[in-house]
Amino acid sequence: MPRAARRKKEATIVDIARRLRVSAMTVSRALTGSSEVSEKTRKRVLRCAKELGYRPNRWARSLVTQRSSILGVVVPDIAHSYFAEITRGIEEVADKAGYKLLLCHSCLDPRKEEAEIETLLGTRVEGLLVASEQPLSSPEVFLKLQETRIPFVLIDRFFPGRELPSVRVDDVAVGRLATECLIELGHRRIAHIRGPRLSPAALRYRGYLAALRKHGIPVNSEWIVSGSFDIESGRQAMLKLLDKQPRPTAVFAANDPMGIGAVYACRDRGLAVPGDVSIVGAGNIEGAHHPNPFLTTVDWPRAELGRAAVTVLLAILANPEHQHTRVEIFTPRLLSRQSTAQAAQRGGKGASA
Amino acid sequence: MPRAARRKKEATIVDIARRLRVSAMTVSRALTGSSEVSEKTRKRVLRCAKELGYRPNRWARSLVTQRSSILGVVVPDIAHSYFAEITRGIEEVADKAGYKLLLCHSCLDPRKEEAEIETLLGTRVEGLLVASEQPLSSPEVFLKLQETRIPFVLIDRFFPGRELPSVRVDDVAVGRLATECLIELGHRRIAHIRGPRLSPAALRYRGYLAALRKHGIPVNSEWIVSGSFDIESGRQAMLKLLDKQPRPTAVFAANDPMGIGAVYACRDRGLAVPGDVSIVGAGNIEGAHHPNPFLTTVDWPRAELGRAAVTVLLAILANPEHQHTRVEIFTPRLLSRQSTAQAAQRGGKGASA
DNA sequence: ATGCCTGCCGTTAACGTTATCGTCAAGAAA
DNA sequence: TTTCTTGACGATAACGTTAACGGCAGGCAT
């Protein structure tokens, strides 16, 4: 039901042309800064445009130039600081390059994500940035997307076996850093709360395994449980871990919310963090450090991730034929804080429960 | 330098029309769901559209319908969870109503804000949502905006004396709640860290004054200092307050980051929170409660604020002539946590670190 | 038969720009 | 002089879509 909105008509290029008794083309040239106009007429046009409150209509312009100067951004949830910071980085670079952002939510729903991408294509965005830690749409969606020849860059998305243009952190290193930090503190009974399969968390898991193996620590599958990236699932997973015999003395949670959940679970059971159990998260979410930096975690530059993604996208845009798959990988670093401590001495104050 | 992007041409309505040997108009009707087509041709059109991978061009459609189904959103910084949550609420309602969001950053820069608004108008957004806790553009910008007859709703913005369409929290109540909470705990020497003038913080300040007056507590201007809404300025302000004689026993900071800064300042001076000093913030930012709810604060529903803003905007949009200034005001509530305690009384809360 | 709906579809003209080519005078070059 | 160049501008046709109107069958009542 397209109801025609009746509002004051915006001034057009033709209005200016009529007023100045020149052609619309001349006005267009003057406004876009073409060299084919005399300085005198340009000044007249600019003055008249200002008087009439003229604002170039980007749709009309885009229709003929085939360029929208708009990029589409799809995130699971902008209210999550992780994606908000990425988006911030995206906006920064995009703005400098003269692009605007059209923001969409995938809501962790694969169908919604696909629908949003479809809408964005209809809006003829010049490029697409799609972020999500979770395994959403299958690779097919993006392979199909590749055929439209509209450039896109994935953020934090990992498809085993398929390399698509993307920007992400070295997730294996995330898992390795977190685990090695615990090993160096003397821990040997190190548990892991996994994230969803097919997500970057799978790589963090690999990093966890690699670190253990490297230090000759046997893997105990009893100490590996799954969560779904939120606080509550972290708590549940940790409760399960605390029931195991023997009980792990340290835990690497695949992301910070689950790490926080693990802290809660310890409190529920009357265990001290880091006195009885050391906990490491991943992601350095805001909540983990104010007003008291608490959760030890692995950090990587979120805004930088966003900036890099746009940079890659702009590069593809500037050179469409040069479209070999680019993947940029960031190196994470450990933030040692207060949820980790030296492992208890054998036979000391440790394992009582 | 509009460089024509050479990519595979998208299928148009005309392509479908030619293939089916009907007119473009018929195709358009079939696709937009008009009743003026037979069911048979509609099916043929839809099938052909799918085959060709047809995607309606929103620019062209908008050009003729004069509707873009796009709303402009201007926030200071999407990376701040406060605005991220508001944006989240906006997106939710906008999405349900079939609107997309064009996201812009004002970066706390009045000129940038005005420029962004100008760009958005050029993009012919159907409406505008402008948020900021800070005093940015002068009211003139919005009075001018009102003349364009493009609906807009301000979020959290307060212009003394001028009522513009807006949605905000009852900031006087924020100040009152925070201050009365401290009074009820027995505090009498209550300081205030103010935010920038002309911002909602000015109203919180009024609430602070009102609460003191109501309880017959004299106002000590020594105990009122200014900050600029960030953690560091809160710390500086608190350091000044701790040097006063007599020293306040409680502080109401006009927002959470300053409250956190105040906590830091106390630690710098070896004072316990809440043992020696009670601190209340405002805004309930994420960082204040994980993994340990700490800062007592005044909360209001951010996402709800965003949702309400769009709802107001949509109402204006649906009824342009009915454009009397609508202002919606939310009621805040106190979240009592661990940075506040009974006055002059060593409560048993030990520090965990 | 005539007139009049009604359902379906086509034609034309927008919407506001810019690309492309054409024009036309003034000046330079032959 | 003539011819060519150049600078400044105009006319026309796109871009992809929909609004507004017109046409034309076929069915029904007169």
mmCIF file of all heavy atoms in Angstrom, chain B residues 173-212:
data_model
loop_
_atom_site.group_PDB
_atom_site.id
_atom_site.type_symbol
_atom_site.label_atom_id
_atom_site.label_comp_id
_atom_site.label_asym_id
_atom_site.label_seq_id
_atom_site.Cartn_x
_atom_site.Cartn_y
_atom_site.Cartn_z
ATOM 1 N N ALA B 173 14.036 12.807 37.684
ATOM 2 C CA ALA B 173 13.792 11.654 38.547
ATOM 3 C C ALA B 173 15.051 10.819 38.728
ATOM 4 O O ALA B 173 15.289 10.259 39.801
ATOM 5 C CB ALA B 173 12.669 10.796 37.966
ATOM 6 N N VAL B 174 15.867 10.744 37.702
ATOM 7 C CA VAL B 174 17.137 10.012 37.815
ATOM 8 C C VAL B 174 17.954 10.610 38.946
ATOM 9 O O VAL B 174 18.421 9.900 39.853
ATOM 10 C CB VAL B 174 17.936 10.076 36.499
ATOM 11 C CG1 VAL B 174 19.347 9.535 36.709
ATOM 12 C CG2 VAL B 174 17.233 9.297 35.405
ATOM 13 N N GLY B 175 18.099 11.925 38.916
ATOM 14 C CA GLY B 175 18.887 12.589 39.957
ATOM 15 C C GLY B 175 18.255 12.438 41.330
ATOM 16 O O GLY B 175 18.939 12.233 42.337
ATOM 17 N N ARG B 176 16.938 12.494 41.352
ATOM 18 C CA ARG B 176 16.233 12.399 42.627
ATOM 19 C C ARG B 176 16.402 11.012 43.228
ATOM 20 O O ARG B 176 16.761 10.860 44.397
ATOM 21 C CB ARG B 176 14.753 12.732 42.416
ATOM 22 C CG ARG B 176 13.985 12.942 43.694
ATOM 23 C CD ARG B 176 12.695 13.742 43.474
ATOM 24 N NE ARG B 176 12.169 13.653 42.118
ATOM 25 C CZ ARG B 176 11.424 12.648 41.654
ATOM 26 N NH1 ARG B 176 11.151 11.618 42.442
ATOM 27 N NH2 ARG B 176 10.967 12.671 40.425
ATOM 28 N N LEU B 177 16.170 9.998 42.405
ATOM 29 C CA LEU B 177 16.292 8.618 42.877
ATOM 30 C C LEU B 177 17.670 8.335 43.439
ATOM 31 O O LEU B 177 17.818 7.771 44.527
ATOM 32 C CB LEU B 177 16.021 7.650 41.718
ATOM 33 C CG LEU B 177 14.580 7.281 41.441
ATOM 34 C CD1 LEU B 177 14.507 6.394 40.210
ATOM 35 C CD2 LEU B 177 13.991 6.562 42.643
ATOM 36 N N ALA B 178 18.678 8.732 42.687
ATOM 37 C CA ALA B 178 20.052 8.458 43.110
ATOM 38 C C ALA B 178 20.344 9.143 44.440
ATOM 39 O O ALA B 178 20.890 8.540 45.370
ATOM 40 C CB ALA B 178 21.025 8.939 42.038
ATOM 41 N N THR B 179 19.938 10.394 44.527
ATOM 42 C CA THR B 179 20.251 11.161 45.722
ATOM 43 C C THR B 179 19.463 10.653 46.926
ATOM 44 O O THR B 179 19.998 10.506 48.026
ATOM 45 C CB THR B 179 19.952 12.644 45.482
ATOM 46 O OG1 THR B 179 20.544 13.037 44.241
ATOM 47 C CG2 THR B 179 20.506 13.500 46.605
ATOM 48 N N GLU B 180 18.189 10.357 46.711
ATOM 49 C CA GLU B 180 17.364 9.884 47.826
ATOM 50 C C GLU B 180 17.824 8.534 48.332
ATOM 51 O O GLU B 180 17.732 8.239 49.522
ATOM 52 C CB GLU B 180 15.894 9.831 47.405
ATOM 53 C CG GLU B 180 15.281 11.232 47.356
ATOM 54 C CD GLU B 180 13.779 11.208 47.123
ATOM 55 O OE1 GLU B 180 13.285 10.208 46.554
ATOM 56 O OE2 GLU B 180 13.119 12.197 47.499
ATOM 57 N N CYS B 181 18.332 7.728 47.437
ATOM 58 C CA CYS B 181 18.877 6.436 47.857
ATOM 59 C C CYS B 181 19.984 6.654 48.877
ATOM 60 O O CYS B 181 20.064 5.967 49.896
ATOM 61 C CB CYS B 181 19.371 5.678 46.635
ATOM 62 S SG CYS B 181 20.872 4.741 46.856
ATOM 63 N N LEU B 182 20.823 7.644 48.616
ATOM 64 C CA LEU B 182 21.933 7.940 49.533
ATOM 65 C C LEU B 182 21.417 8.538 50.833
ATOM 66 O O LEU B 182 21.892 8.214 51.926
ATOM 67 C CB LEU B 182 22.921 8.893 48.852
ATOM 68 C CG LEU B 182 23.643 8.297 47.629
ATOM 69 C CD1 LEU B 182 24.383 9.373 46.848
ATOM 70 C CD2 LEU B 182 24.597 7.194 48.068
ATOM 71 N N ILE B 183 20.422 9.404 50.716
ATOM 72 C CA ILE B 183 19.854 10.034 51.907
ATOM 73 C C ILE B 183 19.267 8.964 52.824
ATOM 74 O O ILE B 183 19.461 8.954 54.023
ATOM 75 C CB ILE B 183 18.774 11.054 51.518
ATOM 76 C CG1 ILE B 183 19.414 12.220 50.757
ATOM 77 C CG2 ILE B 183 18.042 11.579 52.759
ATOM 78 C CD1 ILE B 183 18.420 13.209 50.183
ATOM 79 N N GLU B 184 18.553 8.027 52.182
ATOM 80 C CA GLU B 184 17.916 6.983 52.966
ATOM 81 C C GLU B 184 18.923 6.073 53.659
ATOM 82 O O GLU B 184 18.614 5.430 54.658
ATOM 83 C CB GLU B 184 16.981 6.157 52.083
ATOM 84 C CG GLU B 184 15.603 6.813 51.976
ATOM 85 C CD GLU B 184 14.865 6.368 50.722
ATOM 86 O OE1 GLU B 184 15.157 5.265 50.224
ATOM 87 O OE2 GLU B 184 14.013 7.153 50.245
ATOM 88 N N LEU B 185 20.108 6.020 53.104
ATOM 89 C CA LEU B 185 21.160 5.227 53.746
ATOM 90 C C LEU B 185 21.805 6.008 54.890
ATOM 91 O O LEU B 185 22.771 5.545 55.501
ATOM 92 C CB LEU B 185 22.219 4.819 52.726
ATOM 93 C CG LEU B 185 21.815 3.676 51.782
ATOM 94 C CD1 LEU B 185 22.794 3.542 50.635
ATOM 95 C CD2 LEU B 185 21.707 2.368 52.557
ATOM 96 N N GLY B 186 21.296 7.197 55.122
ATOM 97 C CA GLY B 186 21.795 7.957 56.253
ATOM 98 C C GLY B 186 22.863 8.984 55.899
ATOM 99 O O GLY B 186 23.382 9.676 56.764
ATOM 100 N N HIS B 187 23.193 9.083 54.647
ATOM 101 C CA HIS B 187 24.224 10.055 54.257
ATOM 102 C C HIS B 187 23.676 11.475 54.310
ATOM 103 O O HIS B 187 22.504 11.715 54.008
ATOM 104 C CB HIS B 187 24.732 9.756 52.854
ATOM 105 C CG HIS B 187 25.499 8.473 52.762
ATOM 106 N ND1 HIS B 187 26.819 8.371 53.095
ATOM 107 C CD2 HIS B 187 25.103 7.217 52.409
ATOM 108 C CE1 HIS B 187 27.230 7.121 52.932
ATOM 109 N NE2 HIS B 187 26.194 6.390 52.524
ATOM 110 N N ARG B 188 24.543 12.394 54.697
ATOM 111 C CA ARG B 188 24.160 13.801 54.705
ATOM 112 C C ARG B 188 25.152 14.637 53.903
ATOM 113 O O ARG B 188 24.815 15.681 53.389
ATOM 114 C CB ARG B 188 24.078 14.333 56.157
ATOM 115 C CG ARG B 188 22.862 13.826 56.942
ATOM 116 C CD ARG B 188 21.539 14.220 56.275
ATOM 117 N NE ARG B 188 20.382 13.621 56.928
ATOM 118 C CZ ARG B 188 19.861 12.439 56.585
ATOM 119 N NH1 ARG B 188 20.406 11.735 55.623
ATOM 120 N NH2 ARG B 188 18.799 11.965 57.202
ATOM 121 N N ARG B 189 26.381 14.151 53.837
ATOM 122 C CA ARG B 189 27.397 14.873 53.055
ATOM 123 C C ARG B 189 27.478 14.231 51.670
ATOM 124 O O ARG B 189 28.328 13.389 51.400
ATOM 125 C CB ARG B 189 28.737 14.804 53.785
ATOM 126 C CG ARG B 189 28.633 15.215 55.284
ATOM 127 C CD ARG B 189 29.881 15.828 55.810
ATOM 128 N NE ARG B 189 31.050 14.953 55.703
ATOM 129 C CZ ARG B 189 31.542 14.248 56.744
ATOM 130 N NH1 ARG B 189 30.981 14.329 57.942
ATOM 131 N NH2 ARG B 189 32.592 13.495 56.578
ATOM 132 N N ILE B 190 26.555 14.663 50.818
ATOM 133 C CA ILE B 190 26.407 14.027 49.501
ATOM 134 C C ILE B 190 26.914 14.940 48.391
ATOM 135 O O ILE B 190 26.380 16.034 48.181
ATOM 136 C CB ILE B 190 24.930 13.680 49.239
ATOM 137 C CG1 ILE B 190 24.426 12.759 50.360
ATOM 138 C CG2 ILE B 190 24.766 13.035 47.875
ATOM 139 C CD1 ILE B 190 22.938 12.476 50.287
ATOM 140 N N ALA B 191 27.936 14.482 47.708
ATOM 141 C CA ALA B 191 28.502 15.288 46.615
ATOM 142 C C ALA B 191 27.865 14.905 45.280
ATOM 143 O O ALA B 191 27.132 13.909 45.186
ATOM 144 C CB ALA B 191 30.007 15.079 46.552
ATOM 145 N N HIS B 192 28.139 15.719 44.265
ATOM 146 C CA HIS B 192 27.610 15.415 42.937
ATOM 147 C C HIS B 192 28.664 15.708 41.883
ATOM 148 O O HIS B 192 29.292 16.777 41.893
ATOM 149 C CB HIS B 192 26.352 16.250 42.669
ATOM 150 C CG HIS B 192 25.772 16.035 41.299
ATOM 151 N ND1 HIS B 192 25.626 14.793 40.730
ATOM 152 C CD2 HIS B 192 25.296 16.922 40.386
ATOM 153 C CE1 HIS B 192 25.076 14.917 39.531
ATOM 154 N NE2 HIS B 192 24.881 16.203 39.291
ATOM 155 N N ILE B 193 28.865 14.759 40.999
ATOM 156 C CA ILE B 193 29.731 15.001 39.849
ATOM 157 C C ILE B 193 28.827 15.269 38.654
ATOM 158 O O ILE B 193 28.126 14.366 38.180
ATOM 159 C CB ILE B 193 30.647 13.798 39.568
ATOM 160 C CG1 ILE B 193 31.481 13.486 40.821
ATOM 161 C CG2 ILE B 193 31.552 14.087 38.382
ATOM 162 C CD1 ILE B 193 32.396 12.291 40.663
ATOM 163 N N ARG B 194 28.827 16.501 38.227
ATOM 164 C CA ARG B 194 27.902 16.922 37.170
ATOM 165 C C ARG B 194 28.395 16.505 35.793
ATOM 166 O O ARG B 194 29.584 16.327 35.561
ATOM 167 C CB ARG B 194 27.760 18.436 37.162
ATOM 168 C CG ARG B 194 27.230 19.036 38.420
ATOM 169 C CD ARG B 194 27.059 20.527 38.233
ATOM 170 N NE ARG B 194 26.259 20.806 37.046
ATOM 171 C CZ ARG B 194 25.865 22.024 36.694
ATOM 172 N NH1 ARG B 194 26.218 23.066 37.429
ATOM 173 N NH2 ARG B 194 25.141 22.203 35.621
ATOM 174 N N GLY B 195 27.463 16.437 34.867
ATOM 175 C CA GLY B 195 27.833 16.240 33.462
ATOM 176 C C GLY B 195 27.837 17.589 32.775
ATOM 177 O O GLY B 195 27.652 18.620 33.415
ATOM 178 N N PRO B 196 28.034 17.578 31.469
ATOM 179 C CA PRO B 196 28.072 18.830 30.710
ATOM 180 C C PRO B 196 26.759 19.587 30.832
ATOM 181 O O PRO B 196 25.697 18.995 30.952
ATOM 182 C CB PRO B 196 28.268 18.348 29.270
ATOM 183 C CG PRO B 196 28.755 16.947 29.376
ATOM 184 C CD PRO B 196 28.223 16.401 30.644
ATOM 185 N N ARG B 197 26.843 20.884 30.818
ATOM 186 C CA ARG B 197 25.635 21.701 30.849
ATOM 187 C C ARG B 197 24.824 21.476 29.589
ATOM 188 O O ARG B 197 25.357 20.972 28.603
ATOM 189 C CB ARG B 197 26.024 23.190 30.904
ATOM 190 C CG ARG B 197 26.375 23.666 32.282
ATOM 191 C CD ARG B 197 27.386 24.800 32.202
ATOM 192 N NE ARG B 197 28.373 24.679 33.281
ATOM 193 C CZ ARG B 197 28.118 25.033 34.538
ATOM 194 N NH1 ARG B 197 26.952 25.546 34.861
ATOM 195 N NH2 ARG B 197 29.030 24.875 35.467
ATOM 196 N N LEU B 198 23.579 21.848 29.613
ATOM 197 C CA LEU B 198 22.694 21.735 28.448
ATOM 198 C C LEU B 198 22.445 20.287 28.050
ATOM 199 O O LEU B 198 21.837 20.012 27.037
ATOM 200 C CB LEU B 198 23.263 22.484 27.242
ATOM 201 C CG LEU B 198 23.138 24.005 27.320
ATOM 202 C CD1 LEU B 198 23.743 24.645 26.064
ATOM 203 C CD2 LEU B 198 21.669 24.390 27.442
ATOM 204 N N SER B 199 22.970 19.357 28.801
ATOM 205 C CA SER B 199 22.697 17.955 28.494
ATOM 206 C C SER B 199 21.668 17.457 29.499
ATOM 207 O O SER B 199 21.315 18.167 30.442
ATOM 208 C CB SER B 199 23.983 17.143 28.607
ATOM 209 O OG SER B 199 24.319 16.966 29.958
ATOM 210 N N PRO B 200 21.173 16.255 29.296
ATOM 211 C CA PRO B 200 20.222 15.714 30.270
ATOM 212 C C PRO B 200 20.801 15.741 31.677
ATOM 213 O O PRO B 200 20.071 15.753 32.666
ATOM 214 C CB PRO B 200 20.009 14.292 29.797
ATOM 215 C CG PRO B 200 20.318 14.305 28.354
ATOM 216 C CD PRO B 200 21.383 15.333 28.173
ATOM 217 N N ALA B 201 22.134 15.739 31.754
ATOM 218 C CA ALA B 201 22.765 15.747 33.069
ATOM 219 C C ALA B 201 22.368 16.984 33.862
ATOM 220 O O ALA B 201 22.363 16.966 35.101
ATOM 221 C CB ALA B 201 24.281 15.672 32.919
ATOM 222 N N ALA B 202 22.035 18.033 33.162
ATOM 223 C CA ALA B 202 21.604 19.247 33.856
ATOM 224 C C ALA B 202 20.321 18.970 34.634
ATOM 225 O O ALA B 202 20.113 19.482 35.735
ATOM 226 C CB ALA B 202 21.389 20.378 32.853
ATOM 227 N N LEU B 203 19.479 18.122 34.051
ATOM 228 C CA LEU B 203 18.233 17.770 34.727
ATOM 229 C C LEU B 203 18.504 16.855 35.916
ATOM 230 O O LEU B 203 17.850 16.947 36.946
ATOM 231 C CB LEU B 203 17.282 17.090 33.752
ATOM 232 C CG LEU B 203 16.845 17.960 32.573
ATOM 233 C CD1 LEU B 203 15.945 17.180 31.630
ATOM 234 C CD2 LEU B 203 16.124 19.202 33.078
ATOM 235 N N ARG B 204 19.490 15.982 35.754
ATOM 236 C CA ARG B 204 19.826 15.097 36.880
ATOM 237 C C ARG B 204 20.338 15.939 38.049
ATOM 238 O O ARG B 204 20.064 15.644 39.216
ATOM 239 C CB ARG B 204 20.896 14.083 36.452
ATOM 240 C CG ARG B 204 20.340 13.084 35.439
ATOM 241 C CD ARG B 204 21.380 12.128 34.902
ATOM 242 N NE ARG B 204 20.933 11.676 33.577
ATOM 243 C CZ ARG B 204 21.711 11.098 32.676
ATOM 244 N NH1 ARG B 204 22.991 10.888 32.948
ATOM 245 N NH2 ARG B 204 21.230 10.744 31.512
ATOM 246 N N TYR B 205 21.059 16.964 37.702
ATOM 247 C CA TYR B 205 21.557 17.892 38.719
ATOM 248 C C TYR B 205 20.380 18.542 39.450
ATOM 249 O O TYR B 205 20.362 18.638 40.682
ATOM 250 C CB TYR B 205 22.426 18.944 38.032
ATOM 251 C CG TYR B 205 22.894 20.060 38.922
ATOM 252 C CD1 TYR B 205 23.576 19.807 40.113
ATOM 253 C CD2 TYR B 205 22.676 21.391 38.555
ATOM 254 C CE1 TYR B 205 24.019 20.844 40.915
ATOM 255 C CE2 TYR B 205 23.118 22.434 39.349
ATOM 256 C CZ TYR B 205 23.782 22.152 40.539
ATOM 257 O OH TYR B 205 24.214 23.176 41.334
ATOM 258 N N ARG B 206 19.378 18.932 38.676
ATOM 259 C CA ARG B 206 18.198 19.520 39.305
ATOM 260 C C ARG B 206 17.529 18.534 40.245
ATOM 261 O O ARG B 206 17.026 18.895 41.319
ATOM 262 C CB ARG B 206 17.216 20.006 38.246
ATOM 263 C CG ARG B 206 17.553 21.420 37.799
ATOM 264 C CD ARG B 206 16.708 21.923 36.652
ATOM 265 N NE ARG B 206 15.299 21.541 36.678
ATOM 266 C CZ ARG B 206 14.482 21.744 35.620
ATOM 267 N NH1 ARG B 206 14.952 22.296 34.515
ATOM 268 N NH2 ARG B 206 13.229 21.382 35.697
ATOM 269 N N GLY B 207 17.502 17.271 39.835
ATOM 270 C CA GLY B 207 16.922 16.235 40.686
ATOM 271 C C GLY B 207 17.711 16.083 41.981
ATOM 272 O O GLY B 207 17.125 15.921 43.068
ATOM 273 N N TYR B 208 19.008 16.171 41.851
ATOM 274 C CA TYR B 208 19.888 16.109 43.026
ATOM 275 C C TYR B 208 19.553 17.230 43.995
ATOM 276 O O TYR B 208 19.327 17.009 45.187
ATOM 277 C CB TYR B 208 21.332 16.186 42.534
ATOM 278 C CG TYR B 208 22.374 16.579 43.556
ATOM 279 C CD1 TYR B 208 22.874 15.663 44.481
ATOM 280 C CD2 TYR B 208 22.893 17.874 43.569
ATOM 281 C CE1 TYR B 208 23.858 16.025 45.392
ATOM 282 C CE2 TYR B 208 23.875 18.250 44.467
ATOM 283 C CZ TYR B 208 24.350 17.327 45.386
ATOM 284 O OH TYR B 208 25.323 17.691 46.279
ATOM 285 N N LEU B 209 19.493 18.447 43.457
ATOM 286 C CA LEU B 209 19.171 19.604 44.295
ATOM 287 C C LEU B 209 17.800 19.445 44.955
ATOM 288 O O LEU B 209 17.618 19.688 46.149
ATOM 289 C CB LEU B 209 19.201 20.891 43.462
ATOM 290 C CG LEU B 209 20.567 21.292 42.893
ATOM 291 C CD1 LEU B 209 20.436 22.552 42.041
ATOM 292 C CD2 LEU B 209 21.582 21.491 44.016
ATOM 293 N N ALA B 210 16.844 18.997 44.153
ATOM 294 C CA ALA B 210 15.480 18.870 44.664
ATOM 295 C C ALA B 210 15.419 17.875 45.818
ATOM 296 O O ALA B 210 14.764 18.114 46.844
ATOM 297 C CB ALA B 210 14.540 18.441 43.544
ATOM 298 N N ALA B 211 16.131 16.768 45.659
ATOM 299 C CA ALA B 211 16.110 15.740 46.703
ATOM 300 C C ALA B 211 16.705 16.283 47.999
ATOM 301 O O ALA B 211 16.164 16.077 49.086
ATOM 302 C CB ALA B 211 16.884 14.507 46.235
ATOM 303 N N LEU B 212 17.836 16.966 47.878
ATOM 304 C CA LEU B 212 18.456 17.538 49.074
ATOM 305 C C LEU B 212 17.485 18.493 49.766
ATOM 306 O O LEU B 212 17.264 18.429 50.978
ATOM 307 C CB LEU B 212 19.741 18.289 48.696
ATOM 308 C CG LEU B 212 20.927 17.448 48.222
ATOM 309 C CD1 LEU B 212 22.136 18.327 47.977
ATOM 310 C CD2 LEU B 212 21.262 16.355 49.228
#
